[in-house]
Amino acid sequence: MVRFVTPLVLASLSVTAFAAQSCSSSSQCDEKYPCCSQYGECGTGAYCLGGCDPLASFSLDSCAPMPVCESKTYTWDNLDNAVTQDKYLGNASAADWTYSGKVKTEDGNLIMTMPAKSVGTLFANNHYIWYGKISGKFKSSRGKGVVTAFILLSDVKDEIDYEWVGADLTAVQTNYYWQGVLDWHNSGNISVDGGDTFNDWHTYEIDWTPEKVDWVVDGTVHRTLKKADTYNETSKQYEFPQTPSRLQMSLWPAGQSSNAQGTIDWAGGEIDWNSEDIKTVGYDYATVGEVSVKCYDPPSDATKSGSKSYLYTKSAALEGDISITNNNTVLASLGATGLNMDLGANKSSTGSNSIPTSNGGSGGMTSNTTSESSGSGTSTTDGSETSTTGFTQGTPTGNGAAGQNERVLRSSLFGVLVALVVLVTL
């Protein structure tokens, strides 16, 4: 599996920079910056929240505990239940969603946008789901190189996907991964009635239980994955998505020219930054209607000492290695970590220029390439429209025509997830 390694735009209250440390399951973070973000960089604060990889962090408890599932239906009269990443410290009760990019509400719908030469939009739910049903009404984006996604993604890279490739409006692609392990046999397409996913509303569901996954479009089950069919005789493990995951929706430029050729080919060719939609309304876009989450009971043998948060207890990161606890999920400051949640509680945590931008694409996976980028991460809002600035294009990878040795993991989360590092207590 190839990872994107993204540089940090680094600052502390004293504007003292430090060198970004990359991390992986074979090269964990050190104790000073113990949290490994899903883009393979070590830090504190937001690095320890959604997407923090416990297997690549200093220790399993470096990442903050994960807020438990909450059954809820979301509509889009406004963005009152969403905040930009620079404002989120782990209180999912105060904010259901975090996001990057430019989003707006219109006619009761959420509009995820991608202006020319941007990395688009990521909208992520802050409550983790440990089995359940997610449902969303979508009108996909359109155009070659433009990809819309609706996925479940865990911090150890278990993943269940819907993806719409804008070059083909007749179908939606489905896929799954177990701990980020690549297997091209996991993908499959579903034809969508009417043959126009951009102009026509359709309802897409992922029904995920400990025994199976169903992909359901407009009430009809089109694909089923049974856990029993994922057993690996060599590893003696079920390679089935089985760990708490976040619902994430995104719009990203798979066809940008800096991407791997396999990604560009899969996305239908290079993106047209002078497309009809960009010329008409100023951006490519996808439209999201009502979204709902229904939580299922956790596994019957799950370890329980509370009801507020999920924790990994063993590095195998399988279903049996997760505990349900009453542990706090909220960091006191952007210098705090899972190792000391209260660090910096009495100090200022301002400093929004400390916002690393990631390279985009591929479910949060990272590659071995780097690109210089920076961003102010400031946000603007007028009530129904909000954006974050300072993003740079990245280099997402996809399956498409990727070479055998490239081992690129294509999935749907584009890497614009912003994480702040403010060293308020060091």
Side-chain angles (χ1 to χ4, degrees), residues 174-310:
T174 66
N175 215 334
Y176 75 93
Y177 300 100
W178 172 78
Q179 295 194 4
V181 175
L182 175 64
D183 186 342
W184 301 128
H185 298 96
N186 292 350
S187 62
N189 286 8
I190 296 173
S191 295
V192 178
D193 289 346
D196 190 346
T197 61
F198 175 79
N199 284 302
D200 298 337
W201 286 109
H202 295 279
T203 300
Y204 304 86
E205 295 175 300
I206 295 173
D207 194 353
W208 178 38
T209 72
E211 293 79 31
K212 66 182 178 70
V213 177
D214 286 330
W215 286 265
V216 185
V217 179
D218 294 331
T220 300
V221 177
H222 287 267
R223 182 184 179 188
T224 297
L225 168 70
K226 296 180 180 179
K227 181 177 181 178
D229 294 335
T230 68
Y231 190 71
N232 186 313
E233 289 288 350
T234 302
S235 65
K236 306 300 181 184
Q237 292 176 328
Y238 289 98
E239 297 183 347
F240 177 83
Q242 58 196 271
T243 50
S245 301
R246 291 190 304 155
L247 164 58
Q248 304 190 2
M249 306 182 294
S250 65
L251 177 62
W252 61 282
Q256 62 185 6
S257 59
S258 58
N259 288 354
Q261 189 59 48
T263 304
I264 296 171
D265 292 343
W266 161 71
E270 286 196 20
I271 196 168
D272 178 9
W273 291 122
N274 194 34
S275 68
E276 176 185 347
D277 292 325
I278 288 176
K279 287 189 294 185
T280 302
V281 297
Y283 43 73
D284 289 312
Y285 63 96
T287 309
V288 184
E290 183 177 282
V291 172
S292 66
V293 174
K294 180 181 180 181
C295 307
Y296 293 158
D297 291 336
S300 57
D301 58 350
T303 302
K304 298 180 182 178
S305 60
S307 59
K308 295 181 179 179
S309 57
Y310 304 120

Side-chain angles (χ1 to χ4, degrees), residues 6-9 41 355-359 373-375 390-392 415-418:
T6 53
L8 300 179
V9 180
E41 293 174 324
I355 300 180
T357 57
S358 69
N359 279 353
S373 62
S374 64
F391 303 112
T392 59
V416 72
L417 183 64
V418 175

Side-chain angles (χ1 to χ4, degrees), residues 87-104:
K87 294 181 174 63
Y88 181 68
L89 284 174
N91 187 354
S93 297
D96 292 308
W97 304 87
T98 52
Y99 63 93
S100 296
K102 183 177 181 180
V103 297
K104 61 185 292 186

